[in-house]
Amino acid sequence: MFDPAQLRTFLTVAQTLSFTQAADRLGLRQSTVSQQIRRLEDAAGRQLFVRDTHSVRLTEDGEAMLGFAGTILEANERAASWFTGTRLRGRLRFGASEDFVSTRLPEILEGFRREHPEVDLELTVELSATLHELLAAGRLDLVLAKRGADGTRGRLVWRDKLVWIGSDRLRLDPGRPLPLVVYPPPALTRARALAVLEQGGRAWRVTCTSRSLNGLVAAARAGLGVMPYARGMIPPGLVRIPARAGLPELGAVDMVLLHGTARGAAREPAEALAEAILAGGDRLHGPDGFTPGPA
């Protein structure tokens, strides 16, 4: 009933909330993306997106289609792999930002390993900036990490807004330095937070530094300070700091996939994993995207 190509286009638009960005990622014209979405809506008999000159958002039926689309595409890929007899092999060095490990990324990786048991998958969990360095050094084949909204490299998985988060019991004193719970350098979110605070003339002090997300979340839950974090991945037990606190805007951040320069045995497994992540990108953020670990 539903065309896989239209479903892939739907997922891409849902993840980017932009017909233009979806067209760029898919290598299609924007008119083609719009046409595929119209045809999918015709097949479903429901409107999936509300679109105006400024924004794109999912309807209630569009939210429902997210889960169906991922399931249909995964089943289609399993069937194609079974009947074509193609079996991927080789060593794949995959790097993921610390932020993603506590989302449902492990489910995507588990599905990939189940579908491609002869791929030797090696996972490196690090800060985004460190992963970029490892990729450039040829030590990784594929990376899922953050980049600044002004960056251009990588395939966009989704764009999010950075916000300030903390305990709902935290009370900030505007007359005292802002307490910060942050990753160590060269973390992108730390650099962004310090830059906007300096620009706004707001005094700050670091009350907790940890390379572990669980460590940062524990500190923030204990009321040690505020964290800069992606709006779509706010961990349970933490809330967005309200605008009345007067904290400066942090801007947008892109979640992207980047391929290494090396070719050979890792090329096809890297592309297959990238496609699996893009197809399941909606599971990495949003209200159901975060799976808490022990803090």
Side-chain angles (χ1 to χ4, degrees):
M1 179 178 179
F2 297 117
D3 186 320
Q6 295 170 10
L7 291 175
R8 290 190 187 92
T9 298
F10 165 77
L11 286 177
T12 305
V13 175
Q15 290 160 12
T16 60
L17 293 180
S18 167
F19 279 65
T20 301
Q21 292 178 25
D24 289 342
R25 183 202 286 180
L26 295 167
L28 300 173
R29 294 183 177 182
Q30 186 172 337
S31 60
T32 303
V33 170
S34 298
Q35 184 182 63
Q36 289 187 351
I37 294 301
R38 282 197 301 271
R39 288 177 176 174
L40 182 61
E41 289 178 327
D42 289 342
R46 306 288 177 87
Q47 183 178 4
L48 303 177
F49 291 103
V50 175
R51 181 184 181 190
D52 57 34
T53 55
H54 302 291
S55 66
V56 175
R57 62 182 177 84
L58 286 162
T59 64
E60 183 177 349
D61 289 314
E63 294 282 358
M65 180 62 82
L66 276 177
F68 295 134
T71 301
I72 292 169
L73 288 175
E74 288 174 8
N76 187 66
E77 290 167 5
R78 286 199 299 270
S81 177
W82 176 272
F83 288 108
T84 58
T86 56
R87 298 183 70 85
L88 295 178
R89 295 176 175 83
R91 176 188 180 203
L92 174 57
R93 301 167 300 173
F94 173 59
S97 172
E98 170 78 20
D99 307 72
F100 297 110
V101 175
S102 295
T103 69
R104 295 172 67 184
L105 176 63
E107 293 180 14
I108 296 175
L109 296 181
E110 180 185 14
F112 176 83
R113 292 188 67 252
R114 186 171 57 248
E115 296 303 316
H116 307 290
E118 295 182 30
V119 173
D120 183 11
L121 179 63
E122 298 178 5
L123 175 64
T124 296
V125 178
E126 262 293 357
L127 302 178
S128 289
T130 302
L131 292 174
H132 285 278
E133 294 171 358
L134 293 173
L135 189 72
R139 295 168 60 186
L140 293 173
D141 304 305
L142 181 69
V143 160
L144 175 62
K146 298 188 290 291
R147 75 175 182 198
D150 56 347
T152 57
R153 291 193 62 233
R155 300 167 69 181
L156 182 65
V157 181
W158 83 90
R159 173 168 289 179
D160 209 342
K161 183 177 182 180
L162 285 178
V163 296
W164 299 101
I165 64 173
S167 167
D168 59 0
R169 297 179 299 279
L170 179 65
R171 297 295 178 264
L172 298 174
D173 184 347
R176 303 183 63 184
L178 182 69
L180 297 179
V181 174
V182 287
Y183 287 117
L188 184 152
T189 51
R190 177 193 178 106
R192 180 77 62 81
L194 298 189
V196 300
L197 290 171
E198 293 288 352
Q199 290 167 7
R202 179 68 185 265
W204 53 270
R205 66 187 180 94
V206 174
T207 56
C208 176
T209 300
S210 175
R211 299 185 75 88
S212 163
L213 176 59
N214 280 338
L216 296 180
V217 170
R221 286 176 181 166
L224 269 66
V226 298
M227 289 173 58
Y229 211 70
R231 179 176 56 184
M233 299 194 296
I234 297 176
L238 299 176
V239 298
R240 186 173 176 179
I241 302 299
R244 65 176 178 272
L247 300 184
E249 292 287 330
L250 288 159
V253 63
D254 291 342
M255 316 298 175
V256 298
L257 281 165
L258 300 106
H259 288 263
T261 56
R263 290 296 181 260
R267 183 178 61 82
E268 290 187 359
E271 185 60 33
L273 179 55
E275 291 300 326
I277 291 171
L278 289 169
D282 58 288
R283 290 189 280 168
L284 300 179
H285 62 106
D288 298 321
F290 193 98
T291 303

